[in-house]
Amino acid sequence: MSDGFATRAIHVGQDPDPGTGSVIVPIYATSTYAQDGVGGLRGGYEYSRTGNPTRTALEECLASLEGGRHARAFASGMAASDVMLRAVVRPGDHIVIPNDAYGGTFRLVDKVLRHWGVEHTPVPLSDVDSVRAALRPNTRVIWCETPTNPLLNIADITALADVAHGAGAKLVVDNTFASPYIQTPLELGADAVLHSTTKYLGGHSDVVGGALVTNDDELAQQIAFLQNSAGGVPGPFDAWLTLRGVKTLALRMEKHSDNAERIVEALLNHPKVEQVFYPGLPTHPGHEVAAKQMRRFGGMVSFTVAGGEQAALEVCSRTRLFTLAESLGGIESLIEHPGRMTHASTAGSLLEVPNDLVRLSVGIEDGADLVADLVQALG
Ligand SMILES: *Cc1c(COP(=O)(O)O)cnc(C)c1O
């Protein structure tokens, strides 16, 4: 593993095809594999739910990028989350989740697993004492996101790993917002990493997918068993598209971060902007932890607008380059109003977000154009 990140992104799991010399891993569009006599598998493959060479290439590459020995790819981030939780929890068990968890994760825990007898406690993960206080004898998982969505709160992965392990629980980190270029939780003590590869890993807003990575052999076996038993696997074209995106992750994350920093500076100096949320800001409450565990500060930026909800909605409708849309992590810049869009379901709950908040997924266009677009939209 002495090669650097960008080298591994392009080469691990991606040797030229032995049969043809194809430089790029082919899309193995096949459901089944010929056997040389009963049980005589040529390349270890028998059926594509269980394994497919295009998917294997993606899995090997993702394992390497996260510094893990085992990775499994899924049809979506939520399919990966479902398998992750069912690999470790049983009826009667308890999970600690962030009080600002990704909405789909909260729904899975609150509306699906709850009916199977799994309890959960939402806590602010940036406060390690409140995490410790939420632990119960039956706590099996601390689920962590950092930075969080949409307020970009930061959790200390090393500290949470210590808390989890002291309680006999596993620390799972949803590393979707940072990507492995920016942050590698396994190296900080996490037991498993989850990705919605739909976001930065795929990186081009053209494919939905998920992944789990771990160094825990027993957990890896459970995950592989559930991947095959429940069958939420990506097709070979989706695996190929994701792998194509991964090859440029290092370049993209540098540019996403450069552009985000430029935009943050412009927003800080704009009279219509009240507060800017970005972990790279020295005034951000999680900055010190972020600087310790992140290589850059990423492409997500949120800010509040003077004039309340109406003013925030107007900014969202006036941009020319920033497309008004949900999701994040693609090459193109997106803008959204969390209160009315991604986080509408949190209204009136503990997870409610400010109604004058605007969230940006900063793309890799020319930074000056993005700044000019936001300045004209702010009016
Ligand atoms: C999008 C997202 C997910 C869910 O992934 P899908 O690919 O949409 O199923 C999970 N966690 C985070 C942080 C996300 O942004």
Side-chain angles (χ1 to χ4, degrees):
M1 254 254 291
S2 53
D3 284 332
F5 187 94
T7 305
R8 285 180 280 132
I10 292 169
H11 292 290
V12 174
Q14 303 168 74
D15 286 342
D17 185 55
T20 63
S22 170
V23 166
I24 295 301
V25 174
I27 302 169
Y28 283 91
T30 188
S31 60
T32 188
Y33 304 81
Q35 305 191 9
D36 296 322
V38 174
L41 307 183
R42 293 181 192 177
Y45 296 97
E46 54 192 2
Y47 185 60
S48 276
R49 168 160 39 73
T50 318
N52 174 284
T54 315
R55 192 173 95 214
T56 302
L58 173 64
E59 290 172 340
E60 287 180 2
C61 186
L62 292 178
S64 170
L65 297 185
E66 283 290 357
R69 279 196 304 279
H70 314 280
R72 290 283 167 168
F74 294 87
S76 68
M78 290 322 302
S81 303
D82 180 42
V83 162
M84 182 66 237
L85 286 169
R86 285 193 290 141
V88 280
V89 299
R90 295 290 177 269
D93 287 344
H94 172 251
I95 311 170
V96 173
I97 61 164
N99 67 352
D100 51 358
Y102 174 72
T105 305
F106 182 70
R107 182 174 56 201
L108 177 67
V109 168
D110 188 53
K111 300 273 196 295
V112 181
L113 285 176
R114 186 210 285 272
H115 296 303
W116 297 91
V118 177
E119 303 173 316
H120 65 274
T121 308
V123 297
L125 283 199
S126 47
D127 175 6
V128 176
D129 289 335
S130 75
V131 175
R132 213 178 271 114
L135 294 173
R136 300 184 195 166
N138 57 343
T139 304
R140 295 285 170 264
V141 176
I142 296 177
W143 189 276
C144 169
E145 282 177 40
T146 180
T148 61
N149 181 16
L151 289 172
L152 303 162
N153 290 316
I154 299 293
D156 186 331
I157 296 171
T158 309
L160 290 179
D162 286 346
V163 171
H165 298 155
K170 302 234 186 259
L171 178 69
V172 178
V173 176
D174 179 339
N175 204 25
T176 300
F177 263 46
S179 91
Y181 179 72
I182 281 186
Q183 172 175 286
T184 39
L186 297 179
E187 285 159 6
L188 299 168
D191 298 284
V193 165
L194 176 131
H195 277 285
S196 167
T197 59
T198 312
K199 316 294 169 48
Y200 286 107
L201 283 165
H204 295 71
S205 306
D206 53 10
V207 60
V208 170
L212 294 172
V213 189
T214 183
N215 271 318
D216 178 330
D217 297 339
E218 206 178 309
L219 185 58
Q221 260 184 4
Q222 273 299 312
I223 289 168
F225 174 77
L226 283 170
Q227 183 196 42
N228 186 46
S229 303
V233 294
F237 183 59
D238 287 1
W240 184 88
L241 264 182
T242 306
L243 191 55
R244 185 184 218 260
V246 165
K247 290 173 201 284
T248 55
L249 183 68
L251 277 175
R252 285 187 286 109
M253 293 317 296
E254 286 291 340
K255 182 75 171 170
H256 283 298
S257 303
D258 286 346
N259 280 351
E261 284 175 9
R262 227 169 138 161
I263 285 169
V264 163
E265 198 183 307
L267 291 174
L268 286 173
N269 292 322
H270 200 285
K272 294 244 176 86
V273 172
E274 290 199 322
Q275 203 180 347
V276 180
F277 301 87
Y278 189 64
L281 283 172
T283 52
H284 185 291
H287 177 69
E288 215 176 296
V289 173
K292 191 182 67 173
Q293 68 190 18
M294 299 172 80
R295 178 175 353 196
R296 296 288 309 265
F297 299 106
M300 299 303 295
V301 177
S302 293
F303 62 98
T304 52
V305 185
E309 181 171 38
Q310 195 50 41
L313 291 171
E314 277 165 24
V315 172
C316 292
S317 65
R318 277 202 297 255
T319 52
R320 181 177 68 89
L321 292 174
F322 280 84
T323 301
L324 180 61
E326 301 194 356
S327 197
L328 61 116
I331 46 177
E332 70 292 310
S333 292
L334 302 178
I335 190 167
E336 68 123 357
H337 184 267
R340 291 276 187 103
M341 295 170 65
T342 48
H343 290 68
S345 64
T346 65
S349 82
L350 204 74
L351 314 185
E352 189 172 76
V353 296
N355 68 3
D356 54 355
L357 188 76
V358 171
R359 187 189 81 178
L360 305 175
S361 171
V362 178
I364 62 170
E365 300 95 333
D366 286 305
D369 294 337
L370 297 178
V371 167
D373 189 32
L374 284 174
V375 169
Q376 70 77 23
L378 282 160

